[in-house]
Amino acid sequence: MLLNHLLKTVPLLEFIRDGQYDGVFIGIRWDENPARAGEVFFSRRENPLHIRVHPILPFTERDVWDYTLSNKLPINPLYYRGFRSIDDKYETKPTGSKPAWEQDLEATPERAGRAQDKEGIMELLRRYGYM
């Protein structure tokens, strides 16, 4: 938890504060984790004061891959190697041998390759400002 806070949350909040941004776009989805299921499209955050905009909340993992592939967007090479969710190099494992978009996205958890202790404390991480 501390590592995620130091590597992700702290730099994001510093970026917002130092840039004096009123809002940031965040790419989270309702189906990623139960802690995100209650998120709204516009959420006010304090310290620093800003609005988080969540434009892809209703998307599924399949929606993201369909959009990415149909628009020929760049893809992180790890997704070709079977990763479906990328955290850090010590805590993330592939979820299969096929590229992410060819795996059974509907029947297997997207974040199964991540350390599950973090998944269990997602609500606590979000209180500290984690996405």
Side-chain angles (χ1 to χ4, degrees):
M1 179 178 93
L2 180 59
L3 188 60
N4 274 293
H5 180 67
L6 294 174
L7 293 177
K8 295 179 181 180
T9 309
V10 170
L12 174 65
L13 296 176
E14 286 176 356
F15 174 81
I16 294 167
R17 185 191 65 240
D18 294 349
Q20 299 179 357
Y21 294 105
D22 295 323
V24 293
F25 286 87
I26 305 291
I28 65 169
R29 304 184 330 268
W30 284 324
D31 70 344
E32 286 181 283
N33 184 286
R36 293 178 171 162
E39 188 59 80
V40 294
F41 287 98
F42 301 95
S43 59
R44 179 185 166 103
R45 304 295 173 95
E46 303 288 334
N47 197 24
L49 179 62
H50 66 285
I51 300 292
R52 292 199 181 173
V53 182
H54 306 284
I56 66 168
L57 281 175
F59 283 38
T60 64
E61 183 183 9
R62 174 71 62 204
D63 294 333
V64 171
W65 280 119
D66 288 348
Y67 185 88
T68 299
L69 295 168
S70 68
N71 288 284
K72 298 178 174 58
L73 298 177
I75 298 172
N76 184 308
L78 291 174
Y79 290 115
Y80 288 95
R81 295 181 27 210
F83 290 78
R84 286 181 46 206
S85 182
I86 302 169
D87 194 13
D88 66 56
K89 69 180 183 176
Y90 303 107
E91 301 289 327
T92 308
K93 307 286 184 261
T95 54
S97 58
K98 296 179 182 179
W101 56 91
E102 293 179 8
Q103 295 181 30
D104 186 356
L105 306 184
E106 292 73 26
T108 59
E110 173 182 2
R111 297 168 74 93
R114 288 190 175 205
Q116 294 305 302
D117 58 335
K118 179 184 144 204
E119 293 304 302
I121 60 165
M122 181 68 79
E123 191 57 48
L124 177 61
L125 287 170
R126 289 176 53 73
R127 274 188 256 142
Y128 287 117
Y130 184 75
M131 294 158 289

